[in-house]
Structure formats: C-alpha cells, structure tokens
Amino acid sequence: MAASQANSNIGMSGKRKRKQASPNPPVPQIMKQGAFVPWLYLLPALAVMTFFIVYPMINTIGLSFMNSDGTASAATTCRDGQPCWGVFENYRYALTDEFNTSSPAALWKSFWSSSYGNTIKWIVVMVFGTVTVGLAFAVLADRVKYEALAKAVLFMPMAISFVGAGVIWKFVYDYGTSQTQIGLLNSIITSLGGRPVAWLSTIPINTFMIVIVGIWIWSGFCMTILAAALKSVPDEIIEAARVDGAAEWTVFWKIIVPIILPTITVVVTTMVINVLKLFDLVYVMTGGNFKTDVIANRMYTEMYKNFNVGRGTAVAVILVVAIIPFIYLNIKRFLEQEASR
Amino acid sequence: MASVTFDHVFKKFGEVIAVNDLNIQIEDKEFLVLVGPSGCGKTTALRSLAGLEEISSGEIRIGDRVVNDVAPKDRDIAMVFQSYALYPHLSVYDNMAFGLKLRKTPKEEIKRRVNEAADILGIQELLDRKPRQLSGGQRQRVAVGRAIVREPKVFLFDEPLSNLDAKLRVQMRAEISKLHQRLQTTFIYVTHDQTEAMTMATRIAVINKGVLQQLDTPQNLYDHPNNLFVAGFIGSPAMNFFRGKLRKDGAKLLFDAGDFSIALPAAKSTSYEPHAGKDVIFGIRPENVHDAEFVPMNIATEKVMAKVDVTELMGNEIFLYLMSGNNTFVARVDPRSQLRVGQQAAVAFDMENLHLFDATTEQAIR
Ligand SMILES: Nc1ncnc2c1ncn2[C@@H]1O[C@H](COP(=O)(O)OP(=O)(O)O)[C@@H](O)[C@H]1O
Ligand SMILES: [Mg+2]
C-alpha cells in the first residue's frame, strides 16, 4: 500500500500540480490507479470466488480419483479380470462403460444411445431449434402491431421453472393405458383416428420430445438477445439494400444475418453451454430412462442415486472440460467487442 | 434515364401531412434539387419516389410507368443516403458490387464497372477496405460509387453532404455536378442548404411545410421569388424585409415603413395600384443596398437614413448591419465605404431590384 502511494506520487507529480489549480476537489490518493490498487478492489470478489468455486473445484478433481466414498484411491475399485485404468478408474468407467466395444457397428449404436450421444443430439437440435425459432420470431415480431405482447408470449416459458415445465409437458405427452388418453397430444391423435404413441418411452423419438420442451423454454431467451441485435441494424442500411435490388429474403441473409453474426455466435455458444449443463428436464420427464440420459443427469445419478462420489465427480470433471472451450469462445468474443468500442 | 412525375402526391403520418399535394414534372437528365427547412417533407418525398414509403394518395411515375405499387428493387433507381448506409460487413468493392451481383451481372462486367466508378471517384486504393476503415469523405464517395455502378434511370440523393466538413462539402458539390454532366442521367437531390441548391441545380423546388412553394431555375427563384417564404429562404445573407403600407401621394406610389418612406418606380405602378392603402412587405437583397457615397452608375436609387450597428469587413466587400427605427437590415457595400459603427448614414436602395409582397397572402406583387 505504502509502496504504491510512493509510486503514484512520483508518476503523478506533474498532474497533481494542474489538479490543484483546478476548482475540483483533489482526487483521493487511493483512487489513483497504479499496478497494485486495482487488485485491492478485486480482492473481495476474488476471495469469495476462491472459497466457493476454486476450492470446491480442486476438491472435486481430487475426489474423482478416489473410491465411492472418498476414502481410498480409485485404483482400489478395480476388479480382477476387468479393464482397469488404475487411479483413473472412475474416468474409465465414465468414458467407456456405456459403450459396447464388441464391434464397430455395436460401438456406433451404443454411442448414440449413451449420455454422450444424447448430449450431442441435444446440442445440435436444441441450439439449432432455439436460435432458429428465436431469430424468426424476433424478425417477425418486429413487423407486427402488438410487438411487445407477441414477444412476451414467447418469453413466458422462461419464467416457468424447468421442473414445472417438465411436469406440464409430461401431461402433454401422457400415454394412457386404457382407451382414454388424457395426454393432449395423444387425444388429438386419437380424435383424428390415429393410434396413440408412448412419446417418452419410444426410442429414439423420446429424446427429441424432451428437446422440444427445451426449445419451448429457451427460444424466448434467444429471441430477446437477437431482437436487440436486430434493432441495432440501421434502417437505412436495410433500405439501401432494398433500393439496390434485394428482395426481403436476400436482405435477411445477405445483410441482416452477417451484421448480427457476432451476436448469433454468442447466443449459440451460450446455448451450447446451457444444453451441456441441462439436467432437470431429463430428470423430471424420464429420469434418464429409455436411453434418454445426458451427461449432466448421469452425474446426478452416480452422485445421488448410486452414492458413488468418485464416479459422480469424474463425470462432473468431464462435463466441465467439455464446457470450457465454449466459455473460452464467449469470453474471447466479449473481449473483441469491448476492444472495438 | 427517365423523367419523373409527382402527380398530386400526398403522404400523411397520422395527423402530420408530410407531403401535401406535390406536383412536379422532372425532365429526363435534369438535376432537380428539393430544398426547404428541416422537417418540410423533402426526405419523405424522396423516399416515396424510392418506394420506401407508401404514399397516401396521388401518383408517382418514372418514365411512363406508374410506380405506386412497384417494390424499391424494381424501380431502377439508386439512392445515396445521408448516413451513407454502407454495408458494414462488406469491403468497398463488394459494397459497390452488391446490386450488380443481385442482378446476375457477369463477373467481368461487375469488375469493369466498379473499377470505372472507383476511377471517377478516386477510390481505387480503398477497394479492399471495410467501411469502418474509411473517413467520412471516403464513405461518401463509396456511397456515390455504389449508386453509379448500377447505371440506374434516376439518382436520388438525400442530403449527402451534410455530414462533411465545410471544405469537403464545397469540393464534393463540384464533383457531383461534374458527375451529373458525365452520366447524363436524372438527378434528384434533397438538401436544406440553399447554397447547395443554387450551385448545383438545373431547377429548384422550394418546399415548406409539405407544400411546393415554387419550382424554377436558380436564377429565376433568386430574381423573382413567388412569395415571402421563397424570397427569405433563397439567398445568403437573406433578403431584408420591411413591413409598411402602400400609400398613394398624388400620381406617385410610396412605400411607407413609418420611419421612412420611399417612392416606388413609376414603371410598376399598374401592378402596384390595386394594393394602394393596404399592408405590404417591402423586400430588398443586401447587395442592392449601397453606401450612398458609392452607388454604381446607371441605377435608380432611393435614399434611406440608418444607423450603423455592426460592420463586417470581408476584404472584397463590407457587410453593414443597419438600423432604421425598429427595422434592422443588412447591406453588402463597396469596400471603399467609410461608414463606421455608430454613424448615422445614408444608404441607397436599388429600386430596380425591389420586391413587394401582400402582407396577408405573402404572395409577390408584380
Ligand atoms: N416515419 C414517420 N412517422 C411519423 N412522422 C414522420 C415520419 N417520417 C417523417 N415524419 C414527419 O414528416 C415530416 C417531414 O419529415 P421529413 O420528410 O423527414 O423532413 P425533411 O427531410 O424535409 O427534414 C416531419 O414533420 C416528420 O416529423
Ligand atoms: Mg431529411
């Protein structure tokens, strides 16, 4: 502290003279920035973060190399005659246990019904779905009279807890055992003369039925951010394109989308992170059964259903590693945007 | 290349009538300037022609074709916007090529036209840059270039120079005039700056509050304004106005401003007679007010006494700000004038160049 004051005194001596001449009150010494002072302001936040995030993370990584209750090395859980990765045994379990390696075809098939395969399906379908629906809605709502109302309606599901949304949609997808179908979807189908479908237990459509719920919830979020970006595209640029000979469709793809591409990228990476972390919908609607498991739900299952701390934390670490590139992309984008201001 | 017609065009925004019964026939290859104060409806008129606003009633024709219901992209016009509206994600080359690509122009042809336009505008070395790497003047050129390469029937400009500094504005003014001569196409140019209008236009349409005031050549507008608004708007510094009465004194007609009265030329008495006894507004341009000591030869003048309030020496002339009773007015006098601040002086009004307006209708009496 004292050192920094001395430092800034030397550095600021020229400026201080001018400051004194001005009618403004002198700036308190502590407000003057050196190399040290900014850290002082960051300290409380850093301390809290260290205690609640960094420490638990290190602890989690540590536990992922231990047995089911954290009392001995994971290597002790190896069984004779079975594959064993020693201290990485929990990772062997997390990474390979769901796969059938007997043949390439079996591996392919088992991959796509594993939590990893399902998570990839989730990412592809849900990110594409939310961004497309969000963007389409943002563009269209911009042109209707009751814009605010239309947007509020799409945003509404965001206000419902995911567990609540899961329950609502379980009713929609309900598959009655007798003649009467209380599920909305099936009653529509039967009233039209079709046969009811067990939406949540029929593989492979069940995963996609849950993804639809995810899209229903998250589209509003994407729309809000994309709508703000759309509003920032100057009208005159769009009009210039129209005068230049562009039809509406061309204006959208050749002018609007490229201009808001940075925002679209942020929305995509944010959604990827959200989907990777997503657990509640699967937990509520199928509990990960019928081959609908995802990585985040698997972590929960190992941790709190099987009470295997070692395996649960290993899955958690894998999940974090998967998320890091997307967080990196987001931060990089953010810094670029700041720099171009 | 085409003529453009506004035929009883109205454009309303709710209660606001932005364009009020506009009738203009713009000839092929003409450089027409729409001029008027801010908010008078110039932009709205131009945007209606471009198809960016739907008009409330009337008809707009390009050539012989009614374009009321034609989309902007099919009107074969190019527009230069006030903000330039360059596509921020495209290079200068692609900005200029955008419209041509949409029309499926062959690559070689696009290249030829873009390079030609870049040559004309002196932006060859900027073709690879993005708009944000350009200065205001360079962006302006690119915006013009984007319009040129399309070779449209009609060019529209909406205050294209208003974001440039004064020096660049004068330079671009000349370049746009040159461009018009070179391209031999119809130009329609919107500005609030009467100097721009006077220097560039073949004809000027003066608009106020959505209503066309007068449509004529720059010289005719300057010499024969139809009404008080046009008289005051065209010319810088603006025309001096005096309120007063037209009085008959024997055979002579006098303009009586209260503080002074001057005899009006006998030649005009037939047109002035009917207004005798009524309130009128007398107008005279600053360059037609002379120091009585330095009156040019062969002009008929009337003397008025006034007090010198401020003098501005410009080198080639002197601006005098004068007071006569409650009237203040400006004179541009010979630089040899010895009149100084505070002096009571005689100034001479050139009676060949007076303007008289009916005080109630504000229409010119002539
Ligand atoms: N989109 C709009 N909605 C409502 N009023 C408008 C709109 N555009 C212009 N106006 C009004 O129309 C009048 C003319 O505007 P404008 O054509 O932009 O004037 P100018 O270009 O001559 O400055 C103004 O009173 C303006 O407020
Ligand atoms: Mg305007």
Side-chain angles (χ1 to χ4, degrees):
Chain A
M1 185 65 221
S4 96
Q5 275 185 2
N7 256 340
S8 57
N9 268 340
I10 297 164
M12 297 273 175
S13 58
K15 259 193 192 142
R16 279 190 56 182
K17 279 206 190 83
R18 257 179 283 138
K19 270 271 151 55
Q20 278 163 352
S22 78
N24 299 331
V27 176
Q29 197 51 240
I30 194 151
M31 302 288 282
K32 295 192 173 162
Q33 299 204 343
F36 178 77
V37 174
W39 285 104
L40 206 65
Y41 288 92
L42 275 176
L43 197 63
L46 281 179
V48 172
M49 294 279 281
T50 308
F51 190 77
F52 286 105
I53 295 182
V54 179
Y55 166 71
M57 210 162 110
I58 291 168
N59 210 6
T60 301
I61 294 171
L63 283 171
S64 69
F65 295 107
M66 310 285 271
N67 64 1
S68 62
D69 53 5
T71 51
S73 162
T76 60
T77 63
C78 284
R79 300 231 189 89
D80 289 340
Q82 304 271 333
C84 175
W85 288 10
V87 76
F88 292 100
E89 175 59 13
N90 291 328
Y91 287 92
R92 184 200 61 78
Y93 172 81
L95 290 168
T96 67
D97 191 63
E98 290 178 294
F99 303 139
N100 177 353
T101 51
S102 60
S103 73
L107 178 63
W108 176 256
K109 192 155 177 283
S110 61
F111 176 79
W112 287 112
S113 56
S114 72
S115 61
Y116 296 101
N118 283 335
T119 301
I120 290 173
K121 288 183 217 164
W122 268 89
I123 290 174
V124 171
V125 180
M126 177 147 161
V127 173
F128 181 80
T130 48
V131 173
T132 309
V133 173
L135 189 55
F137 221 83
V139 171
L140 296 176
D142 216 26
R143 302 172 181 215
V144 301
K145 202 165 168 192
Y146 299 101
E147 181 186 348
L149 182 71
K151 285 183 175 173
V153 168
L154 191 72
F155 194 74
M156 209 96 78
M158 199 72 202
I160 302 172
S161 84
F162 289 8
V163 174
V167 172
I168 294 172
W169 281 85
K170 262 186 97 148
F171 282 121
V172 174
Y173 291 150
D174 193 83
Y175 177 64
T177 41
S178 62
Q179 289 295 61
T180 46
Q181 295 293 338
I182 65 152
L184 183 66
L185 209 49
N186 277 333
S187 44
I188 291 173
I189 288 177
T190 48
S191 71
L192 293 174
R195 292 168 57 84
V197 181
W199 299 109
L200 291 176
S201 49
T202 307
I203 304 161
I205 59 161
N206 50 0
T207 288
F208 297 103
M209 296 323 278
I210 310 175
V211 173
I212 286 173
V213 184
I215 295 173
W216 180 75
I217 293 174
W218 279 99
S219 293
F221 166 81
C222 297
M223 174 204 64
T224 316
I225 296 176
L226 293 170
L230 279 178
K231 292 254 188 258
S232 73
V233 179
D235 285 343
E236 286 204 339
I237 289 181
I238 292 167
E239 289 172 347
R242 287 189 190 138
V243 172
D244 248 355
E248 292 306 299
W249 195 244
T250 317
V251 172
F252 181 74
W253 284 110
K254 292 269 172 72
I255 304 292
I256 295 177
V257 168
I259 291 177
I260 65 167
L261 198 60
T263 308
I264 295 179
T265 313
V266 169
V267 173
V268 167
T269 47
T270 308
M271 282 312 298
V272 170
I273 294 168
N274 282 335
V275 176
L276 278 168
K277 294 191 301 189
L278 187 133
F279 135 84
D280 14 30
L281 283 179
V282 176
Y283 177 77
V284 172
M285 296 187 74
T286 61
N289 295 311
F290 314 113
K291 301 201 192 300
T292 57
D293 213 1
V294 290
I295 301 175
N297 188 58
R298 192 165 171 232
M299 170 181 81
Y300 179 88
T301 310
E302 291 298 345
M303 201 75 143
Y304 298 106
K305 280 192 184 151
N306 302 344
F307 299 109
N308 193 325
V309 174
R311 286 177 174 180
T313 49
V315 177
V317 170
I318 290 167
L319 192 56
V320 169
V321 170
I323 288 174
I324 284 174
F326 296 98
I327 292 181
Y328 170 77
L329 278 178
N330 250 9
I331 293 176
K332 193 169 145 229
R333 244 314 142 202
F334 179 71
L335 291 179
E336 278 168 6
Q337 244 167 31
E338 289 287 290
S340 72
R341 286 243 161 96
Chain B
M1 281 176 283
S3 62
V4 171
T5 312
F6 286 87
D7 194 352
H8 295 286
V9 172
F10 283 84
K11 173 65 192 179
K12 296 182 185 127
F13 294 106
E15 291 291 292
V16 182
I17 306 179
V19 176
N20 193 341
D21 197 14
L22 187 63
N23 290 294
I24 306 181
Q25 168 76 43
I26 302 159
E27 304 302 331
D28 188 16
K29 299 179 189 169
E30 190 166 10
F31 195 136
L32 183 101
V33 175
L34 295 174
V35 71
S38 198
C40 74
K42 312 176 294 286
T43 298
T44 307
L46 200 69
R47 288 169 54 85
S48 303
L49 173 56
L52 298 171
E53 302 281 359
E54 213 173 309
I55 57 176
S56 310
S57 67
E59 208 172 82
I60 295 179
R61 290 189 292 273
I62 298 177
D64 298 326
R65 175 170 168 231
V66 177
V67 293
N68 285 25
D69 298 321
V70 177
K73 70 183 176 69
D74 301 319
R75 293 195 182 195
D76 202 5
I77 45 166
M79 182 155 170
V80 177
F81 291 82
Q82 182 170 1
S83 65
Y84 316 139
L86 299 179
Y87 311 126
H89 59 294
L90 298 179
S91 68
V92 167
Y93 183 95
D94 289 329
N95 259 280
M96 289 165 68
F98 184 76
L100 297 176
K101 282 182 185 162
L102 292 178
R103 284 178 177 70
K104 308 251 183 301
T105 314
K107 260 214 165 71
E108 283 308 306
E109 174 70 5
I110 294 179
K111 206 166 169 183
R112 190 186 64 73
R113 287 207 215 169
V114 171
N115 280 323
E116 195 184 315
D119 269 341
I120 295 174
L121 296 163
I123 50 172
Q124 270 295 3
E125 68 285 7
L126 307 178
L127 288 177
D128 295 328
R129 296 216 201 149
K130 290 278 173 67
R132 76 178 115 77
Q133 299 167 306
L134 304 177
S135 70
Q138 291 169 333
R139 284 179 205 183
Q140 163 69 50
R141 282 162 197 273
V142 176
V144 173
R146 187 171 66 181
I148 294 178
V149 295
R150 294 250 323 274
E151 300 179 1
K153 282 198 191 123
V154 184
F155 281 94
L156 310 182
F157 295 84
D158 187 3
E159 312 225 8
L161 307 186
S162 59
N163 290 342
L164 301 181
D165 63 59
K167 199 173 158 195
L168 208 52
R169 209 172 326 169
V170 174
Q171 187 191 337
M172 279 310 287
R173 218 155 70 190
E175 290 197 20
I176 292 178
S177 292
K178 252 193 278 175
L179 201 62
H180 175 246
Q181 278 158 22
R182 181 177 182 139
L183 299 177
Q184 294 289 315
T185 310
T186 315
F187 275 40
I188 302 177
Y189 187 105
V190 160
T191 178
H192 65 268
D193 179 353
Q194 60 91 27
T195 316
E196 263 174 45
M198 292 295 283
T199 50
M200 298 164 81
T202 51
R203 280 196 306 162
I204 299 176
V206 183
I207 299 178
N208 189 31
K209 297 185 179 144
V211 179
L212 177 63
Q213 305 289 319
Q214 191 170 356
L215 173 62
D216 214 329
T217 61
Q219 198 60 49
N220 277 345
L221 276 186
Y222 193 81
D223 293 340
H224 308 292
N226 267 349
N227 60 33
L228 196 65
F229 177 82
V230 176
F233 193 81
I234 300 290
S236 171
M239 187 186 285
N240 300 302
F241 295 117
F242 304 89
R243 290 185 171 271
K245 268 193 162 36
L246 198 60
R247 197 152 55 76
K248 217 173 149 114
D249 185 12
K252 279 202 294 188
L253 273 173
L254 294 178
F255 170 71
D256 187 353
D259 299 304
F260 63 87
S261 72
I262 45 182
L264 299 176
K268 301 237 177 114
S269 55
T270 36
S271 50
Y272 292 166
E273 273 287 352
H275 294 266
K278 291 193 188 151
D279 286 336
V280 293
I281 295 166
F282 177 92
I284 188 157
R285 294 201 182 274
E287 66 266 32
N288 298 322
V289 181
H290 304 280
D291 178 346
E293 303 282 317
F294 298 97
V295 177
M297 285 189 291
N298 304 329
I299 64 168
T301 61
E302 285 285 328
K303 283 205 177 64
V304 170
M305 293 305 290
K307 189 170 154 255
V308 181
D309 200 17
V310 176
T311 61
E312 282 177 1
L313 292 108
M314 313 294 282
N316 60 341
E317 60 187 358
I318 300 176
F319 284 16
L320 299 177
Y321 292 81
L322 302 151
M323 282 174 71
S324 167
N326 292 327
N327 295 304
T328 60
F329 61 105
V330 186
R332 287 166 72 172
V333 300
D334 192 292
R336 290 168 296 173
S337 168
Q338 296 301 312
L339 296 177
R340 290 298 171 257
V341 174
Q343 262 180 323
Q344 197 69 25
V347 292
F349 285 4
D350 175 356
M351 299 311 279
E352 295 291 311
N353 290 301
L354 70 86
H355 303 266
L356 213 58
F357 304 93
D358 185 316
T360 40
T361 64
E362 301 193 341
Q363 294 300 307
I365 305 169
R366 47 173 192 240

